[in-house]
Amino acid sequence: MNRLLNFLKNKYFNLVLATVVLIVVIRISMNKSDSFMGIRNIVSVPLSPVQEFLTNAGQRVEDFFTLFKEIKNLKEENEILKIKVNELEKENRELKSYKDKIDELKQALNLKDKFEDYEVIGANVIAKEPGNWFYIFKIDIGLKDGVEVDYPVVSSTNGLVGRVISVDNTSAKVMSIIDENSTVSGWVVKSGGGHVIVRGDLLLKEEGLCSINYITINVDVAIGDVIETSGLGGIYPKGIIIGRVKEIRESNSELERNAIIQPEVDFKGLQEVFVLKRKNDS
Amino acid sequence: MIAKRKVVLRYKVLINTVSIIIIMLLQTTLVDYMEIKNVKPNILLVYTICTSILEGSVGGGVVGLFAGLVYDILSGKYLGFFALLGMYTGVVAGMANRRVQKESVIVAVFFNFLLTFFYEFGVYFFSRLGQQINDIFYIFRELLLVEALYNTVLSVIVHMLIVKIYKKFNLV
């Protein structure tokens, strides 16, 4: 009996035991993402408001410093612009036409009209992934707001952000399309365009980009083409803008064309997102 | 003597729990603004390693396990993944405890540099089991090396803070 007790206290035995238990837990949570909800809630729910506060505080500090920098920049710019009044006027005219264009686009892409079958729920980003490997973030709505796993997430400009990968009571985690585990079925919007798979990439994500690997011959792709979601796969509805083709890389054979996509969404500055909830989904 | 050890243990559990939660909150929010070359440091990892060097393998394993568990809950995809890695990182770092002068900053710096690679390669390999691995050198240069150096610099500060706290509560 004593021997057994000693064995149970042995540190190597405990190490092996902990390893086995953890591997079992990983296996279970791989199969069902909402397992161990209780444990997750205990930690995640009380910490969410604190995370929200810290993120907001950080944002404010950053805004303050950006303002500082901007003032300095503006002064310098003003000096230059005073000399070049003509250029300034020209730039002004250009900016004005851009502004009109943006307003126009915003109206055209009014989210609520676009997704009639979906209920649009607004959310704030409250925390980011702690490490460098993934691109996942946390938003401030959860089960109580009716969010569920695999709901698509978009930005205010109708750009695809990603999808919900796990939910607890008051918050949810969103995997963005630039995370390397993300694959989205896309469509090149033009005649002769076709079906492509947009993937996240570990290295491109640092620059906020994603990629298309192995474009088939019959798909016509050029720089600047718009990629939309195709609606295949069942997670994302058709017609959300993923991004634009930034670069095409061709290997020796025509068979191996890859493209780099500049997503519609700027992931670094993302603060507000919209979760799409299918209406007949109760 | 036994009563004193119990009190010390209680203090240690309390201090480590509070520290892990505070660091995790910072890691998921404000550390985002500390990026250098698009890479952010992993303060929780630095904390695990520094504590393990002071505590030894058993304490290090426990701290790593719980730090990893909190990491899993607040971020990970699978529960237990970072807990497992954290535990082994703690155990390995704790092995330094008996062999070298544990309060020396140089030890902390050395182990933080090495174990950041150990830990992040662990994340890299296990998160893409069965997938093609062809970009390893690029990742090593652009991501791991930057993070390891960043962590190493931060380890000096974290190590000094932990030693200070331990001395204040007479836990060493």
Side-chain angles (χ1 to χ4, degrees):
Chain A
M1 195 60 204
N2 225 344
R3 222 188 235 173
L4 185 73
L5 265 178
N6 274 338
F7 181 66
L8 285 176
K9 279 184 184 167
N10 183 301
K11 57 185 176 182
Y12 297 107
F13 169 74
N14 281 318
L15 184 65
V16 174
L17 183 73
T19 308
V20 172
V21 169
L22 285 174
I23 288 174
V24 171
V25 170
I26 294 172
R27 283 297 308 168
I28 296 173
S29 63
M30 263 178 169
N31 292 340
K32 259 187 90 200
S33 66
D34 58 346
S35 44
F36 307 107
M37 181 79 94
I39 304 175
R40 283 177 192 270
N41 272 336
I42 289 174
V43 180
S44 188
V45 171
L47 292 190
S48 286
V50 188
Q51 286 179 313
E52 188 166 3
F53 171 76
L54 286 175
T55 302
N56 285 341
Q59 191 66 45
R60 237 167 260 154
V61 173
E62 207 200 14
D63 285 350
F64 179 73
F65 282 108
T66 333
L67 193 76
F68 232 62
K69 234 200 258 164
E70 261 171 16
I71 289 172
K72 207 179 150 211
N73 285 347
L74 277 175
K75 261 187 186 164
E76 282 170 15
E77 206 183 328
N78 217 0
E79 287 298 312
I80 302 165
L81 286 176
K82 264 178 191 163
I83 307 163
K84 302 177 182 173
V85 180
N86 284 334
E87 220 166 295
L88 177 74
E89 276 179 347
K90 195 182 153 210
E91 205 179 305
N92 260 339
R93 273 200 301 276
E94 248 171 32
L95 283 174
K96 201 164 182 275
S97 74
Y98 275 134
K99 191 183 171 286
D100 291 342
K101 217 178 254 176
I102 287 170
D103 286 344
E104 209 175 295
L105 280 172
K106 265 187 187 161
Q107 271 179 349
L109 296 171
N110 195 323
L111 283 174
K112 296 228 175 196
D113 290 341
K114 180 112 190 170
F115 303 109
E116 275 181 351
D117 300 343
Y118 288 85
E119 193 184 319
V120 180
I121 316 172
N124 294 309
V125 176
I126 57 172
K128 297 262 173 69
E129 163 70 23
N132 289 310
W133 296 104
F134 309 111
Y135 210 101
I136 298 169
F137 54 86
K138 196 168 158 188
I139 54 176
D140 64 350
I141 54 173
L143 274 182
K144 67 171 173 50
D145 307 285
V147 177
E148 272 173 42
V149 171
D150 277 349
Y151 279 4
V153 181
V154 297
S155 71
S156 56
T157 52
N158 185 33
L160 184 63
V161 173
R163 66 185 167 91
V164 176
I165 53 164
S166 78
V167 203
D168 55 44
N169 281 347
T170 56
S171 68
K173 280 179 212 156
V174 176
M175 179 165 77
S176 64
I177 55 170
I178 58 174
D179 185 287
E180 70 162 335
N181 291 312
S182 157
T183 54
V184 184
S185 163
W187 188 267
V188 184
V189 188
K190 68 175 181 184
S191 62
H195 181 239
V196 289
I197 303 280
V198 180
R199 283 172 194 283
D201 185 284
L202 186 59
L203 294 164
L204 290 176
K205 85 163 168 27
E206 303 297 341
E207 300 158 51
L209 306 173
C210 50
S211 73
I212 300 176
N213 297 338
Y214 310 116
I215 304 165
T216 47
I217 301 177
N218 54 9
V219 178
D220 180 16
V221 183
I223 290 173
D225 282 357
V226 176
I227 313 283
E228 279 186 359
T229 50
S230 69
L232 300 173
I235 292 178
Y236 305 105
K238 192 175 174 342
I240 307 174
I241 298 171
I242 300 174
R244 272 159 230 278
V245 178
K246 193 180 179 229
E247 197 182 324
I248 294 176
R249 289 180 184 167
E250 266 173 51
S251 311
N252 320 344
S253 64
E254 269 273 295
L255 286 170
E256 283 191 36
R257 279 187 305 166
N258 301 330
I260 292 176
I261 308 297
Q262 172 80 57
E264 179 75 9
V265 181
D266 171 21
F267 287 97
K268 280 267 180 255
L270 199 62
Q271 287 177 45
E272 239 190 350
V273 295
F274 298 90
V275 177
L276 301 182
K277 180 187 177 187
R278 204 174 273 122
K279 269 178 185 160
N280 51 14
D281 251 23
S282 73
Chain B
M1 192 62 195
I2 292 170
K4 202 209 160 202
R5 269 175 63 186
K6 260 191 175 169
V7 173
V8 166
L9 191 66
R10 251 180 235 163
Y11 266 117
K12 279 182 179 174
V13 170
L14 189 70
I15 289 170
N16 275 300
T17 312
V18 173
S19 308
I20 287 171
I21 288 175
I22 290 174
I23 290 171
M24 198 57 211
L25 283 173
L26 294 178
Q27 183 77 39
T28 52
T29 55
L30 296 183
V31 171
D32 222 49
Y33 299 103
M34 286 170 58
E35 284 189 344
I36 291 180
K37 292 185 81 183
N38 282 323
V39 175
K40 50 188 155 192
N42 192 336
I43 304 181
L44 199 66
L45 178 62
V46 174
Y47 178 81
T48 304
I49 296 168
C50 289
T51 313
S52 302
I53 295 171
L54 288 177
E55 282 294 329
S57 278
V58 178
V62 174
V63 169
L65 175 77
F66 280 101
L69 210 58
V70 176
Y71 195 118
D72 276 325
I73 291 168
L74 288 187
S75 116
K77 291 172 191 170
Y78 317 124
L79 199 70
F81 182 82
F82 287 105
L84 193 61
L85 261 170
M87 182 174 78
Y88 277 98
T89 311
V91 170
V92 174
M95 287 174 182
N97 181 268
R98 294 218 179 131
R99 295 195 173 82
V100 291
Q101 209 183 349
K102 59 186 180 184
E103 281 167 50
S104 147
V105 180
I106 297 165
V107 177
V109 164
F110 177 75
F111 273 86
N112 268 288
F113 188 73
L114 275 190
L115 286 173
T116 300
F117 287 110
F118 170 81
Y119 181 88
E120 296 292 356
F121 267 120
V123 181
Y124 178 73
F125 283 118
F126 289 116
S127 66
R128 37 167 69 193
L129 273 182
Q131 287 175 42
Q132 213 180 349
I133 292 170
N134 47 14
D135 43 6
I136 190 123
F137 288 107
Y138 194 69
I139 284 170
F140 179 84
R141 207 179 60 218
E142 298 288 314
L143 226 157
L144 289 183
L145 197 60
V146 182
E147 192 190 324
L149 288 174
Y150 206 161
N151 279 357
T152 309
V153 173
L154 287 179
S155 72
V156 177
I157 304 164
V158 174
H159 175 84
M160 286 196 311
L161 276 177
I162 295 177
V163 171
K164 212 171 218 178
I165 291 172
Y166 267 48
K167 279 195 173 147
K168 187 163 185 189
F169 292 94
N170 284 323
L171 304 179
V172 181

